[in-house]
């Protein structure tokens, strides 16, 4: 109800008295029909890292439980093969590659989502939801007019783009500042020990991963040799804020605690929770109780920890009797990576585990392994269990949930978000007819054809040829069939160019 409707209703209510009261009850019960929405967003978990998608070296019983009681999607996509652009696309409904400055952000970057725009939380808030984000942010903070001062209120941030509550890691686990923020503030900060952050020069007198390499509890393999926090080298320099520093080993517990509290506080009204885990991004330092849960070392153990987080949220929903009318989605922001900058044995101990499942590539890649994600959805009240091959994108959440909650989007809102609600609910076998994938270059999947742009040189001139794969016979994108189907190459190249040019997908 917008303000005008609200005024109309209140005026009518006072005139009509009891008759109106009855209709008010109907409206309220319709409200409760809106499902709660929980998106659990993993970091760097690949299609093959989850047991209901084929993993055997690690068990993910909680994600599997959602798959069993809901729908397991096999053609669901993140928009990009790295974190910031995938998250940007999911929350704005606009492909990140359409906007400059949406690549992997530094820890002190300004916010890249415009306050006041029709974001996923803003749309749901308008529909009457209480909205919260817990976990990894990595979408920037502050207006960029001046350096972020971590010792004062920091905004704009999530609260200015549609969230009612936030408990965050500002950027990534491997980037400073290594502190938690609640709403506008760094928590547990001692004013006498203020935080300084630098993504340029080292801060004199502070140990770094180079000067103090011998004492590190996890050595770095590339990058990650600036500030040393909790015995781990990070990207970026940081000084101060000792009492506010996080502990990597208890981070999953901390996020779960705040996600559960948010659910508990809002159990009586529809809520939207975006729960973005740190797992299984680097540095992988799971809690000791998960160490050794798999034979794959920290990367495998972090998957077990991730699954535990999912289980905790499921248990909370169950305990509060919210399971039936909560739509819960578990998916990931980009494909898998083994060595992402720390010597954590991910490569050495992988065994026969296939992190990207049957797909080629992983994080940073425009092949399917980069963006094709595990994606399970459960909403017992409405959705029948099954599997789905429908093509759906995380970028589609806004248009789909706007439809679900009776919100109208303006044509300029969420330009790449397509309403795939029938597919998400298992009521249609088809979702989108195409999706654009992004990792430096763009690729487009149309039906079972996949076209990958040629490489460009630094003058934006093509260098090399486009690639074409037929995913039906070649899920692993092993055989480039561009020479065999030149018309297809032309057709898909043209379609991609037109979609780029149009500035929108719908
Ligand atoms: C890279 C980092 C990598 C990771 C990534 C972002 C190095 C050498 N590599 O630049 O470790 O942090 O950025 O990952 O520093 S993402 O999942 O948040 O996109
Ligand atoms: Ca990621």
């Amino acid at each position: 109800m917008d303000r005008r409707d609200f005024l109309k209703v209140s005026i009518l209510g006072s005139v009509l008295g009891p008759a109106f009261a009855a209709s008010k009850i109907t409206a309220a019960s319709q409200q409760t029909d809106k499902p709660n929405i929980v998106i659990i967003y993993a970091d760097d978990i690949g299609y093959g890292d989850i047991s209901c998608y084929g993993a055997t070296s690690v068990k993910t019983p909680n994600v599997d439980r959602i798959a069993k009681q809901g729908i397991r999607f096999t053609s669901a996509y993140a928009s990009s093969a790295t974190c910031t652009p995938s998250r940007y696309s999911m929350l704005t409904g606009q492909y990140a590659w359409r906007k400059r400055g949406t690549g992997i952000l530094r820890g002190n970057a300004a916010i890249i989502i415009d306050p006041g725009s029709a974001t996923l939380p803003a749309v749901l808030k308008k529909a009457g939801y209480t909205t919260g984000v817990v976990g990894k942010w990595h979408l920037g903070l502050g207006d960029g007019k001046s350096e972020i001062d971590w010792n004062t209120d920091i905004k704009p941030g999530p609260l200015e783009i549609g969230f009612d509550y936030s408990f965050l890691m500002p950027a990534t686990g491997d980037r400073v500042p290594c502190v938690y923020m609640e709403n506008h503030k760094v928590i547990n900060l001692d004013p006498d020990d203020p935080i300084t952050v630098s993504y340029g020069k080292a801060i004199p007198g502070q140990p770094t991963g180079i000067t103090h390499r011998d004492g590190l509890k996890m050595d770095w393999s590339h990058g990650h040799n600036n500030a040393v926090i909790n015995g781990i080298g990070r990207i970026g320099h940081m000084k101060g804020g000792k009492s506010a520093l996080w502990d990597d080993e208890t981070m999953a517990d901390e996020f779960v605690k705040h996600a559960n509290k948010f659910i508990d506080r809002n159990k009586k009204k529809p809520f939207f929770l975006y729960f973005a885990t740190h797992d299984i991004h680097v540095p992988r330092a799971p809690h000791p109780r998960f160490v050794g849960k798999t034979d794959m070392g920290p990367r495998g153990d972090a998957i077990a920890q991730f699954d535990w987080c999912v289980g905790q949220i499921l248990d909370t929903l169950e305990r509060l009797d919210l399971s039936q009318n909560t739509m819960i989605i578990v998916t990931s922001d980009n494909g898998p990576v083994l060595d992402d900058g720390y010597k954590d044995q991910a490569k050495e101990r992988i065994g026969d585990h296939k992190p990207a499942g049957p797909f080629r590539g992983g994080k940073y890649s425009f092949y399917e392994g980069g963006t094709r994600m595990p994606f399970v959805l459960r909403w017992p009240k409405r959705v029948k269990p099954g599997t789905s091959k429908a093509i759906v994108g995380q970028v589609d959440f806004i248009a789909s949930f706007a439809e679900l909650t009776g919100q109208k989007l303006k044509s300029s809102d969420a330009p790449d978000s397509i309403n795939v609600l029938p597919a998400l609910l298992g009521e249609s076998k088809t979702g989108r007819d195409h999706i654009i994938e992004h990792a430096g270059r763009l690729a487009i999947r149309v039906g079972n054809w996949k076209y990958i742009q040629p490489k460009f040189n630094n003058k934006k001139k093509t260098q090399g040829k486009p690639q074409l794969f037929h995913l039906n016979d070649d899920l692993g994108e092993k055989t480039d069939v561009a020479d065999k189907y030149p018309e297809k190459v032309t057709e898909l190249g043209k379609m991609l160019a037109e979609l780029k040019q149009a500035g929108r997908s719908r």
Side-chain angles (χ1 to χ4, degrees):
M1 195 182 315
D2 70 18
R3 207 178 129 71
R4 243 176 320 160
D5 288 345
F6 176 76
L7 285 177
K8 248 191 270 168
V9 162
S10 342
I11 292 163
L12 275 179
S14 55
V15 176
L16 299 179
F20 176 72
S23 69
K24 220 157 106 188
I25 290 167
T26 323
S29 65
Q30 271 164 5
Q31 282 261 322
T32 56
D33 270 335
K34 285 182 185 152
N36 305 306
I37 300 174
V38 176
I39 297 174
I40 302 184
Y41 210 46
D43 199 353
D44 297 1
I45 283 194
Y47 190 95
D49 282 325
I50 300 290
S51 38
C52 63
Y53 285 88
T56 52
S57 307
V58 57
K59 296 259 175 300
T60 54
N62 294 298
V63 181
D64 298 0
R65 171 150 56 116
I66 297 176
K68 199 161 166 235
Q69 298 168 348
I71 304 180
R72 188 176 66 92
F73 288 82
T74 57
S75 276
Y77 288 85
S79 295
S80 300
T82 48
C83 166
T84 301
S86 284
R87 285 159 207 255
Y88 174 88
S89 306
M90 182 171 81
L91 293 185
T92 64
Q94 179 190 43
Y95 286 135
W97 47 263
R98 293 200 193 275
K99 181 169 159 153
R100 286 180 80 85
T102 55
I104 298 170
L105 293 182
R106 292 185 323 265
N108 62 352
I111 194 163
I112 55 170
I113 298 179
D114 295 333
S117 58
T119 62
L120 180 59
V123 167
L124 289 173
K125 194 167 160 161
K126 236 173 149 186
Y129 281 70
T130 302
T131 56
V133 52
V134 173
K136 174 173 175 173
W137 183 239
H138 210 191
L139 291 161
L141 293 165
D143 59 12
K145 288 186 188 139
S146 52
E147 273 284 307
I148 299 174
D149 179 351
W150 298 94
N151 308 292
T152 58
D153 276 17
I154 299 161
K155 52 190 164 185
L159 303 199
E160 285 67 39
I161 65 130
F163 287 105
D164 294 307
Y165 173 76
S166 68
F167 183 88
L168 304 179
M169 161 205 284
T172 63
D174 55 349
R175 283 174 176 74
V176 302
C178 300
V179 294
Y180 297 121
M181 286 183 66
E182 190 166 35
N183 298 324
H184 292 133
K185 282 191 162 47
V186 170
I187 58 165
N188 300 326
L189 184 61
D190 172 359
D192 293 332
D193 181 27
I195 296 172
T196 312
V197 164
S198 160
Y199 274 80
K201 285 198 184 109
I203 302 174
Q206 295 300 301
T208 72
I210 295 175
T211 59
H212 289 63
R213 191 165 187 175
D214 288 347
L216 296 175
K217 70 176 162 199
M218 193 196 296
D219 198 7
W220 47 271
S221 57
H222 49 279
H224 304 104
N225 53 23
N226 299 155
V228 176
I229 310 281
N230 189 23
I232 301 172
R234 316 276 169 165
I235 306 171
H237 300 278
M238 171 178 184
K239 183 184 166 189
K242 200 161 183 286
S243 57
L245 295 178
W246 70 49
D247 197 19
D248 303 79
E249 290 80 359
T250 53
M251 185 176 280
D253 292 341
E254 204 62 32
F255 287 158
V256 160
K257 183 174 90 191
H258 288 278
N260 281 341
K261 275 192 185 167
F262 174 82
I263 296 175
D264 208 340
R265 277 200 303 278
N266 295 293
K267 56 179 179 265
K268 296 221 170 79
K269 44 195 173 184
F271 61 81
F272 164 54
L273 171 64
Y274 166 40
F275 178 30
T277 69
H278 158 66
D279 290 311
I280 60 166
H281 198 278
V282 296
R284 300 170 186 129
H287 191 276
R289 69 184 187 278
F290 295 102
V291 173
K293 279 277 171 215
T294 69
D295 291 330
M296 293 191 287
R299 187 176 183 279
D301 299 345
I303 299 175
Q305 177 166 276
F306 168 77
D307 185 72
W308 172 84
C309 296
V310 174
Q312 293 297 298
I313 302 298
L314 291 179
D315 288 353
T316 300
L317 294 173
E318 200 62 46
R319 178 169 55 78
L320 299 173
D321 203 17
L322 297 172
S323 297
Q324 281 298 314
N325 201 28
T326 297
M327 179 198 285
I328 181 163
I329 292 171
V330 179
T331 186
S332 179
D333 69 336
N334 54 251
V337 55
L338 297 182
D339 181 341
D340 206 16
Y342 293 95
K343 294 184 185 170
D344 64 4
Q345 300 254 300
K347 234 180 194 149
E348 294 81 348
R349 296 178 64 174
I350 192 72
D352 55 10
H353 179 69
K354 300 258 176 306
F359 303 115
R360 177 171 175 183
K363 185 173 181 176
Y364 312 115
S365 164
F366 40 70
Y367 294 111
E368 292 292 290
T371 48
R372 196 165 328 179
M373 294 293 108
F375 186 114
V376 295
L377 179 153
R378 183 188 83 172
W379 177 15
K381 192 165 171 189
R382 174 97 186 250
V383 172
K384 292 199 193 73
T387 58
S388 173
K389 291 184 190 160
I391 302 179
V392 295
Q394 294 161 0
V395 70
D396 298 328
F397 287 156
I398 298 197
S400 306
F401 297 162
E403 172 74 17
L404 177 71
T405 58
Q407 298 301 298
K408 287 243 167 330
L409 292 177
K410 289 199 287 242
S411 59
S412 53
D413 294 340
D416 295 303
S417 192
I418 291 178
N419 171 17
V420 294
L421 186 66
L424 292 177
L425 301 181
E427 289 161 6
S428 166
K429 282 192 176 141
T430 50
R432 296 169 149 262
D433 56 5
H434 74 279
I435 191 142
I436 299 177
E437 301 167 59
H438 163 238
R441 276 187 259 173
L442 298 181
I444 185 167
R445 176 177 168 191
V446 184
N448 273 313
W449 291 101
K450 164 101 175 252
Y451 165 97
I452 301 170
Q453 267 187 337
K455 210 172 173 173
F456 291 89
N457 67 17
N458 49 16
K459 290 196 180 113
K460 293 211 168 155
K461 288 250 162 62
T462 57
Q463 211 180 37
K465 295 199 304 188
Q467 301 173 62
L468 183 75
F469 298 97
H470 193 240
L471 300 173
N472 241 5
D473 342 302
D474 183 19
L475 219 46
E477 292 166 285
K478 289 197 180 83
T479 314
D480 181 356
V481 292
D483 287 343
K484 208 167 154 195
Y485 300 99
E487 306 80 25
K488 246 317 151 212
V489 172
T490 311
E491 181 195 325
L492 298 192
K494 199 164 155 244
M495 185 171 172
L496 180 58
E498 281 168 6
L499 281 161
K500 252 181 97 173
Q501 182 68 29
R504 53 189 309 110
S505 305
R506 67 180 170 91

